[in-house]
């Protein structure tokens, strides 16, 4: 499966000067929602991700996604894995389990995002369900932005990856585009201004 082609065909691989949620700048932005607007594609991707997770032998009770980015990917993955699905959301900046969702002590939870960059939001969701007694057994995303090391990839883990090394991370592809801190961004140096994706109708 050629994930890059799927993103390009859906116009979900944007080119410009973007400020990512991690604070870094990049010439590319992945708009997963554009890929997932086709439920058939969402199912195709989730089925492939679920197969990786089953082949690995990971036992999962529940998939949990941090809203909003991970919602559709997580739901599709939970459907493919035939397991329970919950999500966390930010309340006053803090990732929280709301809406009557509860987790059991020792419940095996897989955290699912659309894209994992450094894994910041995924780790906030993980901390919240662990605080409530669940066990986070792994992480998943449609694609890895190139900082973390996914199961089956040779791409090395970078120091700013925040996912734990002792739990598996599943993704369908590495999107290892260059990313810059604002101080070192060549696009900023060339005089252009970084935009937050979504702020100009994209
Ligand atoms: Zn920049």
């Amino acid at each position: 499966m050629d994930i890059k082609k799927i993103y390009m065909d859906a116009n979900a691989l944007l080119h410009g000067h973007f400020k990512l949620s991690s604070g870094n700048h990049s010439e590319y932005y992945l708009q997963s929602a554009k890929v997932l607007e086709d439920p058939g594609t969402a199912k195709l991707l989730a089925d492939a991700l679920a197969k990786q997770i089953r082949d690995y032998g990971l036992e999962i009770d529940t998939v949990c996604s941090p809203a909003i980015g991970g919602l559709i990917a997580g739901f599709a993955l939970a459907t493919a894995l035939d397991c329970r699905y919950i999500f966390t959301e930010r309340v006053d900046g803090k990732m929280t389990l709301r809406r009557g969702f509860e987790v059991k002590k020792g419940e095996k939870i897989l955290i699912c995002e659309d894209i994992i960059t450094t894994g910041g939001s995924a780790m906030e969701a993980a901390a919240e369900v662990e605080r409530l007694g669940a066990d986070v057994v792994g992480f998943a995303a449609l694609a890895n932005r190139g900082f973390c090391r996914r199961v089956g990839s040779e791409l090395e883990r970078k120091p700013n990856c925040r996912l734990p090394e002792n739990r598996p991370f599943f993704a369908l592809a590495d999107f290892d585009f260059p990313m810059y801190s604002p101080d070192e961004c060549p696009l900023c140096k060339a005089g252009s201004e970084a935009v937050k994706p979504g702020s100009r109708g994209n």
Side-chain angles (χ1 to χ4, degrees):
M1 188 188 295
D2 188 342
I3 309 297
K4 278 189 182 112
K5 188 174 182 311
I6 289 174
Y7 269 76
M8 281 165 72
D9 289 350
N11 289 322
L13 181 54
L14 309 179
H15 186 236
H17 181 193
F18 301 106
K19 184 178 180 183
L20 308 176
S21 58
S22 60
N24 290 317
H25 291 190
S26 173
E27 201 174 343
Y28 295 97
Y29 182 73
L30 297 159
Q31 187 58 275
S32 297
K34 280 291 290 172
V35 169
L36 299 171
E37 73 180 9
D38 175 26
T41 304
K43 182 177 186 312
L44 189 79
L45 297 171
D47 285 348
L49 198 53
K51 183 178 185 312
Q52 269 194 32
I53 294 164
R54 284 207 190 94
D55 289 351
Y56 185 90
L58 193 68
E59 221 180 282
I60 294 159
D61 297 318
T62 299
V63 171
C64 175
S65 293
I68 293 173
L71 286 181
I72 300 169
F75 179 75
L77 181 60
T79 304
L81 289 170
D82 194 20
C83 70
R84 189 163 92 98
Y85 177 65
I86 59 176
F87 59 88
T88 61
E89 59 201 294
R90 283 190 198 285
V91 179
D92 298 328
K94 190 190 172 301
M95 202 63 92
T96 310
L97 202 63
R98 296 182 64 209
R99 301 175 194 266
F101 287 144
E102 288 173 0
V103 294
K104 293 195 186 78
K105 190 167 162 42
E107 184 171 343
K108 296 182 183 70
I109 296 191
L110 179 84
I111 305 290
C112 182
E113 268 279 24
D114 54 348
I115 306 280
I116 289 278
T117 305
T118 59
S121 302
M123 288 307 289
E124 287 178 64
E128 173 67 355
V129 294
E130 286 191 329
R131 184 181 71 77
L132 298 167
D135 289 339
V136 172
V137 294
F139 296 83
L142 300 177
N144 170 32
R145 196 61 172 74
F147 289 125
C148 298
R149 184 165 185 175
R150 67 187 172 96
V151 172
S153 172
E154 293 304 306
L155 193 72
E156 272 183 43
R157 177 195 174 89
K158 312 278 192 306
N160 51 358
C161 173
R162 290 169 63 186
L163 300 186
E165 286 183 80
N166 61 354
R167 276 167 277 181
F169 165 40
F170 305 92
L172 296 170
D174 296 316
F175 283 134
D176 189 20
F177 306 123
M179 235 179 288
Y180 314 99
S181 69
D183 301 345
E184 293 167 353
C185 175
L187 305 163
C188 284
K189 282 181 182 152
S192 88
E193 198 186 322
V195 296
K196 219 174 161 194
S199 62
R200 288 190 189 173
N202 56 7

